[in-house]
Amino acid sequence: MRHPLLLLLTALVGSGLVALAAPLLNPYHLDVLIGVGINVILAVSLNLVNGYTGQFSLGHAGFMAVGAYLSAAVSLFLAPTLFGDLAEAGGLVQGTAFLLALLIGGGAAAGAGLLVGVPSLRLRGDYLALVTLGFGEIIRVIFQNLEVLGGALGLNAIPAYTNIFWVLASVAITIYVVLALVHSTFGRGFLAVHDDEIAAAAVGLNPTRYKVVAFVVGAFFAGIAGGLYGHFKLTITPTGFDFTRSIEVVVMVILGGMGHTAGVIGAAVLLTLLPEVLRPIAEYRMILYALLLILLMILRPEGLLARPRRGGTA
């Protein structure tokens, strides 16, 4: 990337300008745009694990759930103690409280990623997929039985802090961090592990270390996406973070081309807008996803929106 910090600052300024124009937008279109942004964060963060590092995780919805529940709990229980009555507080105080909630949710998700990553990332392929799938289901069942967090009914009355600025700014930061990490000297290790773990170990790299770092970073941003999602929907339940949710994110990564950030972003946008376009037959969405994957694997296995990668760049 050329001048990455300048691009990030430009994106953040652009996010602020879009936020200023948000009252002029159709509320439905604004809601769809926020959904697109959340899915882009999920897809880009999973692409670091599945695409650049060459692993296969099916537990991203679990990390999203950790971020959603923990950030919502901070906003509901901790923030009023620290900041007082937020309903009467100014925008700066509310923004600070929301940022704290997002960071705690993302940090908790990263901790969960480290917890599951250290023992499981010595595995490969199907074994790793099964472990991460099991982790996601364990997280869902835990939240389903935690009465302090609403149990099966979930958490309600979450403050409506998520707006288009927070989402677009988080998208920009996620893309910047993932690309800066991959294109750094350290990040070349991710590509080496992706290409050949044995060869990477032979030249002195520790494949497990790189896989754990990718897993933790990906989990952190999944937690951020979960926090944004919870403060956008205002109600979260364990069923919203089930196996189907993980599969949706995996489909975005595969459709866009694993290891190709621009393609993954395009696929996340496409697959978020597709259910809106096909709303009259929304119950067949997963069937359409399955057919799309089958056709993709046959006709364009490198990814529908991906370009050939040169030297590990996206």
Side-chain angles (χ1 to χ4, degrees), residues 104-180:
I104 290 178
L114 180 64
L115 184 65
V116 70
V118 170
S120 65
L121 286 176
R122 298 180 185 276
L123 304 173
R124 301 179 187 177
D126 298 340
Y127 299 103
L128 176 60
L130 289 173
V131 169
T132 54
L133 172 61
F135 164 77
E137 288 301 299
I138 289 171
I139 287 295
R140 184 181 64 81
V141 172
I142 288 175
F143 284 128
Q144 189 170 319
N145 290 277
L146 274 180
E147 293 300 328
V148 68
L149 294 179
L153 297 178
L155 278 177
N156 302 302
I158 302 172
Y161 292 153
T162 296
N163 57 36
I164 192 62
F165 170 76
W166 284 105
V167 172
L168 293 181
S170 298
V171 168
I173 293 171
T174 303
I175 294 172
Y176 169 78
V177 170
V178 170
L179 288 181

Side-chain angles (χ1 to χ4, degrees), residues 21 29 46 73-74 77 92 99 103 115 122 145-146 166 183 240 269 294 309:
H29 295 157
L46 182 62
V74 169
F77 308 128
L92 180 60
L99 179 60
L103 292 177
L115 184 65
R122 298 180 185 276
N145 290 277
L146 274 180
W166 284 105
H183 289 270
V269 173
I294 293 171
R309 187 170 60 185

